[in-house]
Amino acid sequence: MRNIIFRAWNKRDKYIVSSPRSICTILQHRMGLPQHAGWNSYNEQSSKDDYVLMQYTGVKDNNGKMIFEGDILKDINTIDDEVLGFVEFSKGLYEVGMYSLYYVAVECKCLVVGNIHDNKLEVWSIRER
């Protein structure tokens, strides 16, 4: 069984949130639950729309880094380090472009090179292919 791990992209301030306390607070906002004072790690009030949640896929890249939804992957088996695409959940499984994430991670030997939130220009070039 894989661990259920989340991280979140703060759309307003443009950074990744990964601490468990912060993620719990964001999940409370998402579900509309009252905030427990001991778990709220933010001083300011935030909206549930201020964050994009990204779930851990259960797969790691060739360097052992956890792969999350929205991560951009490149194939290290190719001479030009081809960018394969970004990870998204579709049709009941994680996909990278037209490939399953499992195939990309195991057969292609991939590396995480960024995410779709930090690397907007990279995402547009991937979609144009």
Side-chain angles (χ1 to χ4, degrees):
M1 179 189 282
R2 70 179 171 90
N3 292 331
I4 306 298
I5 302 170
F6 287 96
R7 70 180 186 192
W9 174 252
N10 181 313
K11 294 192 284 188
R12 185 175 32 154
D13 299 324
K14 311 231 182 297
Y15 66 92
I16 294 282
V17 177
S18 58
S19 80
R21 289 181 68 164
S22 300
I23 294 299
C24 283
T25 302
I26 292 166
L27 289 169
Q28 284 176 322
H29 283 271
R30 283 276 185 173
M31 294 185 282
L33 297 173
Q35 289 192 10
H36 185 278
W39 278 94
N40 188 359
S41 59
Y42 296 106
N43 293 329
E44 79 278 356
Q45 285 295 323
S46 58
S47 164
K48 68 179 180 179
D49 298 325
D50 288 345
Y51 299 94
V52 177
L53 283 171
M54 297 172 278
Q55 187 172 0
Y56 171 50
T57 62
V59 178
K60 294 183 179 180
D61 74 0
N62 206 46
N63 287 341
K65 184 175 180 179
M66 292 189 292
I67 300 174
F68 285 82
E69 288 177 90
D71 280 345
I72 298 172
L73 304 180
K74 76 174 181 178
D75 182 355
I76 62 172
N77 284 336
T78 59
I79 294 170
D80 59 353
D81 288 335
E82 177 188 0
V83 173
L84 295 167
F86 58 93
V87 179
E88 59 186 334
F89 189 76
S90 175
K91 303 175 201 141
L93 55 99
Y94 290 102
E95 294 179 329
V96 180
M98 59 185 211
Y99 304 106
S100 77
L101 176 61
Y102 180 79
Y103 170 77
V104 169
V106 174
E107 299 295 326
C108 294
K109 304 255 194 262
C110 69
L111 289 178
V112 174
V113 293
N115 67 68
I116 61 173
H117 305 290
D118 281 333
N119 305 74
K120 294 283 188 195
L121 294 176
E122 186 84 29
V123 173
W124 285 113
S125 67
I126 292 168
R127 287 185 174 154
E128 288 175 0
R129 288 188 215 161

